[in-house]
């Protein structure tokens, strides 16, 4: 299950950390190239709510096999893309299959793990997953530097075969439940398009488009989202059940994971620019700061997940977010003046702090939701992570076009988001009671 989730993360970090280099290969500006990541994330967010429905009909093993086949085939197509437009289309197809992998895997882990071991198990899963932010940027930078950018996508094929064989032999509960609940088609037509239009409005504003174009995108997006909220309050099984927000700790977890998506993908996109523009690393090293961040994440996510079995997520998330905010402020203040080693040390510190936010929040989720709501809650968290990750990538594209200091401004946003997490953490669960 960890390897299935790892594939999606590896693809995201490999592509996102090489956007500027891919833009040069494809002859496209950064404001357009960011849509290679945005369209993947939005397509994945549309696929996430289908996890529970398809699992009920097919069983988890068959669902994973189908997702892996789709992921491998779409990865092949991405490698054969001939321009930016074709790559964006193929990435959308890849997102639809990739969006099923990580939430399906995590939901299975949450269902089969005893309550008193959730933090430890989520920490171990996080250890595997977070090899992606370390290895992805280095692999992507090396491949683009060697003029072999299609292999960023083609590497997924042997990984998909390996994970598929493992899922076929090891995933429990392969039979369907016979559940015939309908998909929330109206929700699919309202929620993802509404957010895409908001992102498109922001992107067009950053690219200098006229005010009417931006206004139409933003207003239409808000109208679709408002329509979705109205629909979700009435539908028996909505795409994203907004009624779960009545549970305070779940609402807080949703807010925390929104910030996780925004902060993570803002950094993945802006750190290569920091490497080249701020600390003077060569083109072959522009992904190195992302790997430094990923190393900090890998260390702290593993340990914080284990500790949360005893302490609960509240104290860990509050402390981790405080360290994240302080480190972001330091980068904002010194990224253009300090030696490269000092900036990279603060990036590592930020990774250590930020890693204590996501894993404990995820583990706490399975303690506060009713068992029958776990699939819906997992889907909701993944939807907001992916949608706000899209916002982070688009934000960097906007700042690159509109700000004289995009790196500093981006880390100002990271600091504000981390401080909001500190405030929301008081609503997260405290020391757990070990009941199932």
């Amino acid at each position: 299950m960890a390897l299935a989730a790892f594939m999606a993360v590896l693809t995201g970090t490999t592509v996102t950390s090489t956007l500027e280099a891919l833009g040069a290969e494809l002859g496209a500006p950064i404001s357009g190239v960011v849509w290679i990541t945005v369209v993947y994330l939005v397509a994945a967010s549309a696929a996430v709510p289908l996890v529970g429905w398809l699992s009920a009909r097919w069983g988890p093993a068959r669902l994973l096999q189908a997702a892996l086949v789709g992921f491998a085939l779409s990865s092949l197509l991405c490698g054969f893309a001939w321009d930016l437009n074709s790559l964006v289309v193929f990435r959308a197809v890849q997102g639809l299959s990739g969006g099923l992998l990580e939430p399906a895997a995590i939901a299975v882990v949450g269902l089969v793990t005893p309550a008193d071991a959730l933090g430890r198990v989520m920490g171990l899963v996080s250890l595997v997953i977070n090899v992606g932010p370390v290895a992805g940027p280095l692999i992507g930078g090396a491949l683009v530097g060697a003029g072999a950018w299609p292999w960023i996508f083609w590497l997924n094929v042997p990984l998909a075969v390996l994970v598929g064989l493992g899922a076929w032999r090891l995933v429990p509960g392969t039979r369907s439940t016979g559940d015939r609940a309908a998909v929330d088609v109206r929700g699919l037509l309202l929620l993802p398009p509404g957010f895409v239009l908001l992102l498109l409005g922001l992107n067009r504003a950053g690219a200098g488009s006229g005010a009417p174009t931006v206004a139409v995108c933003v207003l239409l997006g808000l109208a679709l989202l408002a329509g979705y909220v109205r629909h979700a309050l009435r539908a028996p099984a909505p795409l994203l059940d907004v009624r779960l927000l009545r549970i305070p700790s779940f609402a807080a977890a949703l807010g925390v994971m929104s910030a996780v998506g925004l902060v993570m993908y803002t950094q993945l996109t802006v750190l290569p620019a920091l490497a080249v523009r701020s600390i003077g690393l060569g083109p072959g090293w522009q992904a190195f700061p992302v790997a430094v961040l990923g190393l900090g994440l890998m260390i702290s996510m593993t340990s914080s997940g284990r500790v949360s079995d005893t302490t609960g997520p509240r104290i860990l998330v509050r402390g981790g977010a405080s360290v994240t905010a302080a480190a972001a402020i330091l980068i904002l203040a010194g990224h253009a003046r300090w030696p490269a080693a000092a900036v990279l040390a603060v990036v590592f510190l930020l990774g250590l702090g930020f890693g204590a936010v996501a894993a404990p929040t995820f583990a706490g989720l399975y303690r506060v939701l009713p068992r029958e709501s776990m699939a819906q809650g997992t889907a909701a968290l993944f939807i907001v992570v992916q949608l706000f990750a899209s916002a982070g990538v688009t934000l960097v594209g906007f700042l690159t076009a509109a700000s004289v200091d995009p790196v500093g401004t981006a880390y100002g946003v990271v600091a504000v988001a981390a401080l909001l997490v500190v405030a929301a953490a008081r609503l997260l669960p405290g020391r757990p009671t070990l009941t199932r």
Side-chain angles (χ1 to χ4, degrees):
M1 293 299 93
L3 284 173
F6 165 78
M7 286 181 58
V9 175
L10 179 68
T11 295
T13 56
T14 303
V15 174
T16 304
S17 63
T18 56
L19 286 179
E20 287 195 86
L22 279 174
E25 291 281 343
L26 298 169
I30 188 65
S31 60
V33 174
V34 293
W35 283 90
I36 296 173
T37 293
V38 171
V39 74
Y40 176 91
L41 293 168
V42 174
S45 73
V48 167
L50 300 177
V51 170
W53 179 69
L54 291 173
S55 292
R57 289 179 174 328
W58 296 352
R62 187 177 173 190
L63 172 59
L64 278 173
Q65 293 287 358
L68 287 165
V69 170
F71 196 74
L73 291 177
S74 57
S75 296
L76 280 174
L77 290 173
C78 287
F80 286 116
W82 54 90
D83 59 14
L84 177 62
N85 291 334
S86 62
L87 182 54
V88 167
V89 171
F90 296 147
R91 283 282 283 173
V93 178
Q94 189 185 43
L96 290 173
S97 53
L100 299 173
L101 291 176
E102 192 172 0
I106 298 298
V108 169
V109 172
L111 287 171
V112 303
T113 303
D116 59 351
L118 274 168
R120 183 168 70 254
V121 171
M122 289 295 182
L124 292 172
V125 171
S126 297
L127 174 63
V128 177
I129 293 174
N130 281 284
V131 174
V134 177
L138 300 177
I139 293 171
L143 291 174
V144 173
W149 69 264
W151 282 97
I152 291 176
F153 304 101
W154 290 341
L155 282 176
N156 290 322
V157 178
L159 279 174
V161 172
L162 176 64
V163 175
L165 289 173
W168 175 55
R169 294 294 302 273
L170 299 173
V171 172
T174 59
R175 293 183 180 180
S176 69
T177 65
D179 188 352
R180 296 295 173 184
V183 176
D184 181 17
V185 176
R186 184 176 294 181
L188 283 170
L189 295 175
L190 290 171
L191 180 59
F195 202 87
V196 169
L197 284 168
L198 284 178
L199 295 180
L200 181 61
L202 179 60
N203 181 265
R204 292 300 87 198
S209 296
T213 300
V214 174
V216 168
C217 291
V218 170
L219 292 176
L220 185 55
L222 289 174
L224 288 173
L225 292 177
Y228 174 76
V229 171
R230 182 181 178 186
H231 158 73
L233 290 173
R234 299 177 179 181
L239 179 68
L240 177 61
D241 192 353
V242 296
R243 290 165 294 201
L244 289 176
L245 293 173
R246 296 169 183 168
I247 304 173
S249 53
F250 176 75
L254 206 65
V256 169
M257 296 307 293
S258 299
V260 166
L262 177 69
V263 168
M264 186 67 184
Y265 273 80
T266 296
Q267 291 188 93
L268 290 177
T269 311
V270 82
L271 279 173
L274 177 144
V276 175
R277 301 179 185 181
S278 300
I279 58 179
L281 297 182
W285 292 89
Q286 64 181 11
F288 185 68
V290 183
V292 171
L293 175 74
L295 181 61
L297 288 169
M298 188 169 63
I299 293 171
S300 64
M301 287 188 79
T302 306
S303 58
S304 64
R306 183 177 64 252
V307 172
S308 73
D309 284 330
T310 303
T311 66
R314 184 187 304 155
I315 187 171
L316 291 169
V317 172
R318 183 179 293 167
S322 298
V323 172
T324 300
I329 292 170
L330 287 174
I331 295 173
L332 186 158
H335 71 91
R337 298 183 290 108
W338 295 350
V343 176
L344 291 173
V346 179
V347 170
F348 177 73
L349 175 65
L350 193 152
L352 287 176
F354 189 55
V357 175
T361 302
F362 246 128
L365 167 71
Y366 295 101
R367 297 191 182 100
V368 302
L369 283 180
R371 188 176 184 85
E372 63 271 14
S373 299
M374 282 189 178
Q376 180 69 248
T378 303
L381 285 186
F382 272 95
I383 287 170
V384 299
V385 167
Q386 288 164 337
L387 292 178
F388 278 85
S390 303
V393 175
T394 307
L395 174 69
V396 174
F398 173 83
L399 294 176
T400 300
S403 174
V404 295
D405 181 16
V407 174
T409 308
Y411 272 97
V413 173
V414 168
V416 171
L419 291 173
L420 291 174
V421 170
V422 173
R426 64 184 181 85
L427 297 175
L428 293 174
R431 188 178 297 273
T433 56
L434 301 181
T435 58
R436 185 76 172 169

